[in-house]
C-alpha cells in the first residue's frame, strides 16, 4: 500500500512537472514567435558613428512598434522568466522614446525596468547593460548610467560590434564615473586600441576626449603617445 501511495504521489508530481515544463515551453515558443515576427532592429552593430546618437537605432524597415507590443512581451516573459523577452521589450520602449513618441516620459523608465528585469535573470549580457546605460543617460540618471556602462565593459570588454558605441557613451559619462568606472574606461581603451588603434584615435579626436584618454591611460603612456601621434598626423602637424 505504501509503495502504491508513493508511486501515485510520484505520478502526480511527475504530471505537475510535465505540465509546468509544457507551459514554460509553450510560453517560450510564443515569445520566440513574437520576437521573430517583430524582427526588431538591433541597437548595436548598425550605423557607422556614435556621433549620430539617434542614429544608433537601425533605419531598416520594420513593424510599426507600439508600447502595447512591449507590454505583451513582458506579460509573456514574466511567468516563464525569459530574459531575452524582457530585453526586447526594453528595446522597443527605448526605440519609441528616441523616436519622440507620445508618452515619452514613461517610455525611458519602462525601458530601464525591462532591462533591469532581463539582467536580473541573465546578468552577463554586455549589450543589455549598454542599453540600460544608454536609456539611463537619456533619462538624465547619469550616475546610474555610468554604473551600467562599467558593467557593460566588465561583462564583455572585447566586443568588436560594441566598443565604438561604448567609447562614445563612456566619454560623455566620464565626469559621472567613480574610480572603478574610470578604471574600466582605461581597460576598454587599451583593449580597443590593441584591436583598432586608428579608430580609437579618430573617436578621441572627434569627441574632444584627449584629456580623458590621458587620465584613463595614465599607466599606459605608450598608448597615449600613439593616439596623440595619429591625431597629429591627421591634423597635418
Amino acid at each position: 500500500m505504501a509503495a502504491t501511495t508513493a508511486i501515485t504521489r510520484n505520478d502526480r508530481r511527475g504530471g505537475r512537472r510535465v505540465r509546468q515544463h509544457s507551459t514554460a515551453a509553450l510560453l517560450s515558443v510564443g515569445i520566440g514567435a513574437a520576437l521573430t515576427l517583430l524582427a526588431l532592429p538591433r541597437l548595436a552593430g548598425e550605423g557607422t558613428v556614435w556621433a549620430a546618437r539617434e542614429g544608433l537605432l537601425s533605419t531598416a524597415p520594420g513593424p510599426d512598434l507600439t508600447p502595447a507590443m512591449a507590454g505583451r512581451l513582458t506579460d509573456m516573459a514574466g511567468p516563464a522568466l525569459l530574459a531575452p523577452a524582457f530585453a526586447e521589450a526594453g528595446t522597443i520602449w527605448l526605440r519609441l522614446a528616441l523616436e519622440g513618441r507620445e508618452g515619452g516620459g514613461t517610455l525611458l523608465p519602462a525601458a530601464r525596468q525591462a532591462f533591469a528585469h532581463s539582467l536580473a535573470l541573465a546578468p552577463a549580457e554586455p549589450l543589455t547593460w549598454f542599453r540600460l546605460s544608454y536609456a539611463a543617460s537619456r533619462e538624465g540618471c547619469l550616475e546610474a548610467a555610468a554604473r551600467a556602462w562599467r558593467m557593460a565593459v566588465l561583462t564583455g570588454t572585447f566586443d568588436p560590434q560594441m566598443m565604438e558605441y561604448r567609447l562614445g557613451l563612456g566619454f560623455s559619462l566620464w565626469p559621472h564615473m567613480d574610480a572603478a568606472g574610470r578604471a574600466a574606461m582605461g581597460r576598454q581603451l587599451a583593449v580597443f586600441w590593441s584591436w583598432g588603434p586608428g579608430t580609437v584615435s579618430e573617436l578621441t579626436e572627434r569627441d574632444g576626449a584627449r584629456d580623458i584618454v590621458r587620465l584613463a591611460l595614465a599607466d599606459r603612456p605608450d598608448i597615449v603617445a600613439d593616439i596623440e601621434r595619429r591625431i597629429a598626423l591627421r591634423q597635418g602637424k
Side-chain angles (χ1 to χ4, degrees), residues 103-166:
T106 62
L107 294 174
L108 285 173
R112 289 181 63 193
Q113 184 177 35
F115 292 142
H117 280 314
S118 180
L119 289 164
L121 298 167
E125 292 293 338
L127 176 56
T128 307
W129 281 113
F130 175 80
R131 291 177 177 178
L132 175 60
S133 176
Y134 185 70
S137 72
R138 292 303 299 255
E139 197 178 352
C141 302
L142 300 178
E143 285 75 18
R147 289 192 297 270
W149 185 91
R150 173 176 171 265
M151 290 303 300
V153 174
L154 291 180
T155 54
T157 304
F158 182 76
D159 188 334
Q161 289 187 319
M162 286 299 301
M163 288 189 293
E164 178 178 345
Y165 300 102
R166 253 193 227 147

Side-chain angles (χ1 to χ4, degrees), residues 26-145:
L26 287 172
L27 284 168
S28 300
V29 170
I31 292 172
L35 297 180
T36 301
L37 288 173
L38 285 172
L40 290 176
R42 298 297 178 186
L43 278 171
E46 298 177 2
T48 55
V49 293
W50 170 265
R53 258 52 175 194
E54 276 65 17
L56 183 64
L57 293 168
S58 169
T59 57
D64 184 15
L65 301 179
T66 66
M69 289 182 181
R72 285 195 292 272
L73 278 173
T74 56
D75 288 344
M76 288 189 291
L81 298 178
L82 293 177
F86 281 121
E88 294 296 355
T91 301
I92 294 176
W93 275 313
L94 178 55
R95 178 176 181 132
L96 293 175
L98 297 180
E99 289 177 354
R101 299 290 186 94
E102 291 185 11
T106 62
L107 294 174
L108 285 173
R112 289 181 63 193
Q113 184 177 35
F115 292 142
H117 280 314
S118 180
L119 289 164
L121 298 167
E125 292 293 338
L127 176 56
T128 307
W129 281 113
F130 175 80
R131 291 177 177 178
L132 175 60
S133 176
Y134 185 70
S137 72
R138 292 303 299 255
E139 197 178 352
C141 302
L142 300 178
E143 285 75 18

Side-chain angles (χ1 to χ4, degrees), residues 16 34 70 146 182 192 198 214 220 232:
R16 283 197 297 272
R182 293 186 174 192
F192 197 0
R214 293 185 189 111
R220 291 297 307 270

